[in-house]
Amino acid sequence: MMGSALRRGAHAYVYLVSKASHISRGHQHQAWGSRPAAAECAAQRAPGSVVELLGTSYPQDDYSNLTRKVLTRVGRNLHNQQHHPLWLIKERVKEHFYKQYVGRFGTPLFSVYDSLSPVVTTWQNFDSLLIPADHPSRKKGDNYYLNRTHMLRAHTSAHQWDLLHAGLDAFLVVGDVYRRDQIDSQHYPIFHQLEAVRLFSKHELFAGIKDGENLQLFEQSSRSVHKQETHTMEAVKLVEFDLKQTLTRLVAHLFGDGLEIRWVDCYFPFTHPSFEMEINFHGEWLEVLGCGVMEQQLVNSAGAQDRIGWAFGLGLERLAMILYDIPDIRLFWSEDERFLKQFRVSNINQKVKFQPLSKFPPMINDISFWLPSENYAENDFYDLVRTIGGDLVEKVDLIDKFEHPKTHKTSHCYRITYRHMERTLSQREVRHIHQALQEAVVQRLGVEGRF
């Protein structure tokens, strides 16, 4: 749901790309860009074309921007693969909530949804969460759109309204989410989120509070930094206390007791007040999740007008990298047995410290070009690099920007680090991929090469 979700944070194989091979299988890797790769990107947006995803055909339009790289990842369900590190984190959170929060009849209070389709409408992903029409998180450059009305979810919060509307008042949602972003060891176009929502009735919230029968959930007042205009201060403080206590218990379960925690005020369109939780881990303050009191307008629109609630969201990769000391987000997609076997533990709460695979040498190439006069987005370039180079690309750095004093044209120079996680790359392989990228960047982005 939150944290970096708006600011930076049940699948099936895809018909269109069923013949695409994964890049992590030694010498089977093909240079995705030779001309065919660039041509395929263009074909996905050809007038009248469709993409078939999860058994449904979606007509393409001027918003369609899915790449083969992303489509081949739909259906992997890493969070549901037994003994995968993301599965371990999910199961540990589930176990904690099942044991700590029990309903009236001895059954778990929170229900869990971890197989919901990643294809959502733009209304689900944005409008249902009160995200304004001009909010930067809607940008085509930051999301993967099937077309103007459907997209791959950018956060698991896209399911929040539907589950509330179905009458649920305590649930966890886990799934893969999709976002166009920079390329480095911390960012990947597909990652996984877990979020939770809990609603309270007046009776539930004030039970056990002295004179609680005289307290109210709602009032008509003005919005402040501490509360929404429809909430009483008493209700907000109790919800906020329950939220922070719930999260403090969760991170203690994951990281151990004695962890130093701090709360940072922040902003999300769908909660107020909103907070980020940071933990002091090995002497470094790390942001691990975002949370807040749910916007009452959202709760009301879903049909729960008599309730107030909280929500939080966290990134599974973020937690796994911290807990297991995994240095590169690409490793989560590895099929290397040396990686996977480290997480086959008999007890999901068993401590695991990742033992690094042999680190193979990097190969570095620069690419520079003059930008077109308009319609250049850096995320388009990053997406193209991922499509051509796949997971062989470790990181991309913008190392130089230059404006010509006479033509006023702008030049960018990027340094691309290629590194296979399981073997040594050859100069010939990298040269072939890099040349394919040079061709594709001219064809697809309309730049003028300086190579």
Side-chain angles (χ1 to χ4, degrees), residues 97 223 257:
F97 273 86
R223 178 172 290 238
D257 294 325

Side-chain angles (χ1 to χ4, degrees), residues 33-207:
S34 39
R35 296 182 182 267
E40 180 176 328
C41 289
Q44 291 179 13
R45 285 176 285 281
S49 64
V50 299
V51 61
E52 180 147 334
L53 186 57
L54 306 177
T56 302
S57 296
Y58 296 92
Q60 307 288 273
D61 59 26
D62 61 324
Y63 250 61
S64 306
N65 64 355
L66 289 180
T67 64
R68 180 174 66 177
K69 168 70 176 178
V70 170
L71 288 173
T72 56
R73 294 306 196 219
V74 178
R76 290 287 296 275
N77 299 324
L78 299 184
H79 62 290
N80 288 335
Q81 292 182 15
Q82 192 170 18
H83 298 300
H84 190 280
L86 299 183
W87 176 86
L88 288 176
I89 299 290
K90 182 195 75 170
E91 291 300 310
R92 292 186 67 189
V93 175
K94 277 174 55 179
E95 178 190 66
H96 173 75
F97 273 86
Y98 281 172
K99 288 183 177 180
Q100 288 290 320
Y101 308 99
V102 179
R104 286 181 297 171
F105 305 107
T107 56
L109 179 65
F110 286 82
S111 50
V112 178
Y113 298 87
D114 59 7
S115 297
L116 298 175
S117 170
V119 178
V120 297
T121 65
T122 52
W123 186 90
Q124 289 173 300
N125 199 79
F126 299 119
D127 301 275
S128 73
L129 297 167
L130 312 179
I131 297 173
D134 59 350
H135 196 279
S137 66
R138 291 178 179 254
K139 287 191 303 184
K140 179 180 173 182
D142 289 345
N143 299 286
Y144 288 104
Y145 285 91
L146 282 83
N147 51 42
R148 281 185 172 268
T149 59
H150 289 81
M151 64 187 296
L152 294 177
R153 62 188 169 209
H155 43 201
T156 47
S157 302
H159 304 288
Q160 202 174 95
W161 190 94
D162 292 314
L163 294 173
L164 291 173
H165 191 62
L168 299 173
D169 55 14
F171 54 84
L172 304 177
V173 180
V174 193
D176 44 352
V177 298
Y178 299 77
R179 210 168 302 151
R180 304 174 87 205
D181 213 334
Q182 64 201 77
I183 301 176
D184 58 34
S185 63
Q186 305 290 318
H187 294 86
Y188 202 79
I190 308 98
F191 55 104
H192 299 74
Q193 288 186 337
L194 180 150
E195 82 166 64
V197 166
R198 185 173 184 186
L199 300 184
F200 300 88
S201 66
K202 175 183 173 181
H203 171 74
E204 291 168 329
L205 189 63
F206 296 130

Side-chain angles (χ1 to χ4, degrees), residues 6 51 125 155 159 171 175 195 218 247 289 344 377 385 415 427 440 445-446:
L6 287 176
V51 61
N125 199 79
H155 43 201
H159 304 288
F171 54 84
E195 82 166 64
F218 307 112
L247 292 173
L289 58 84
R344 295 195 185 109
V385 173
R415 177 153 295 164
Q427 286 278 6
L445 302 183

Side-chain angles (χ1 to χ4, degrees), residues 340-358:
L340 297 173
K341 71 180 181 181
Q342 298 187 41
F343 302 94
R344 295 195 185 109
V345 292
S346 57
N347 182 340
I348 60 173
N349 292 307
Q350 181 177 328
K351 287 189 176 182
V352 178
K353 180 174 173 59
F354 171 64
Q355 299 301 313
L357 312 179
S358 299

Side-chain angles (χ1 to χ4, degrees), residues 324-342:
Y324 303 138
D325 204 19
I326 297 173
D328 194 313
I329 197 169
R330 293 177 299 163
L331 283 165
F332 293 108
W333 297 91
S334 174
E335 296 177 0
D336 191 325
E337 184 64 15
R338 293 173 300 168
F339 173 76
L340 297 173
K341 71 180 181 181
Q342 298 187 41

